[in-house]
Amino acid sequence: MLLTPLLTGVLETSLNSLLFRDRSMKAARQRLAGKVLRIELQEFSAPLVLIFSEQRVDVLGQSEDAADCTVQTRIPVLLKLRDRQQLSPLMRSGELVVEGDIQVVQQLVGLLDLAEWDPAEWLAPYIGDIAAQGITQVMGKGACLLKSGLQRQQRYVAETLTEEWRVAPGPLEVVWFNEEVDAATRSLEALLARMDKLEGKR
């Protein structure tokens, strides 16, 4: 419960910066004006209540206002809603439960899809433009290095497995080998039987 004011404050600042900075999104924002969205996350005991107006969105840990729409989900699922194409599949799978006016969620997801996600702009008010740009570039390069490293490791693993499969016999080779062993065993048994007959004649 102690984390709720901090969480709501960070979320409110982030959403206002993301959704209410660009004038081109004004028409899309107006559809949400006056709407109340209640988000119930499994990871938190208290809900997050988003109250939209024409100028901003307020994020509260509790509210007396009746919610137009209630969403029940988990944080990882909520993060997927940045892509509007994910909304229907998540609802069908039951990972996202929506009660009330579904258009509230659809309009918010549409806004998130339109918004430009630039971490430098989020960090700038706290640490300055130059530092924010520098940190963002370092993070970007780090992510690229991590991605290329993972791809390289995947190639190494694939090549190793391929080489191992070349060394290991295939199913047909195993069948052929077993048949050859059986044939050799039969030949040996026939030879031993002939030898026994020869010894018996003596």
Side-chain angles (χ1 to χ4, degrees):
M1 291 297 290
L2 293 174
L3 288 174
T4 303
L6 176 62
L7 177 66
T8 54
V10 169
L11 188 59
E12 183 175 296
T13 303
S14 301
L15 284 174
N16 279 299
S17 173
L18 189 65
L19 304 179
F20 288 81
R21 185 182 66 244
D22 192 342
R23 290 181 182 176
S24 65
M25 295 166 61
K26 185 177 180 180
R29 287 195 299 262
Q30 284 180 334
R31 296 190 195 105
L32 280 170
K35 300 293 184 181
V36 178
L37 174 63
R38 179 185 173 98
I39 301 173
E40 297 176 356
L41 297 170
Q42 290 180 12
E43 292 86 353
F44 297 102
S45 56
L48 292 171
V49 182
L50 279 61
I51 302 174
F52 294 91
S53 67
E54 289 188 12
Q55 290 80 29
R56 59 178 286 109
V57 56
D58 293 304
V59 181
L60 307 174
Q62 197 60 264
S63 175
E64 298 298 322
D65 295 336
D68 295 286
C69 180
T70 300
V71 172
Q72 297 170 341
T73 188
R74 295 175 296 112
I75 291 175
V77 176
L78 197 64
L79 294 174
K80 292 179 185 178
L81 291 180
R82 180 185 164 188
D83 178 6
R84 71 169 75 187
Q85 303 297 328
Q86 295 289 327
L87 180 59
S88 295
L90 290 171
M91 288 176 64
R92 281 197 299 271
S93 68
E95 293 179 88
L96 186 78
V97 178
V98 179
E99 296 175 358
D101 186 358
I102 193 173
Q103 287 188 346
V104 176
V105 179
Q106 291 172 332
Q107 287 159 359
L108 177 59
V109 170
L111 266 177
L112 291 171
D113 196 36
L114 288 171
E116 293 182 8
W117 296 70
D118 186 357
E121 290 189 20
W122 286 20
L123 292 171
Y126 304 103
I127 61 174
D129 292 337
I130 297 172
Q133 195 63 38
I135 289 173
T136 303
Q137 287 176 353
V138 169
M139 288 172 64
K141 288 178 182 175
C144 288
L145 284 172
L146 181 62
K147 185 178 178 181
S148 63
L150 287 172
Q151 288 174 340
R152 200 163 44 246
Q153 288 300 323
Q154 285 176 339
R155 281 199 303 274
Y156 290 157
V157 169
E159 288 171 7
T160 302
L161 288 174
T162 303
E163 291 302 318
E164 286 179 3
W165 278 114
R166 285 177 185 164
V167 171
L172 292 175
E173 291 175 307
V174 172
V175 171
W176 173 83
F177 177 76
N178 288 336
E179 288 177 353
E180 290 295 308
V181 169
D182 290 341
T185 302
R186 286 193 298 272
S187 297
L188 180 61
E189 287 173 351
L191 178 62
L192 290 173
R194 280 200 301 272
M195 288 177 66
D196 287 342
K197 282 183 183 178
L198 288 171
E199 284 181 3
K201 287 179 180 178
R202 290 180 185 174

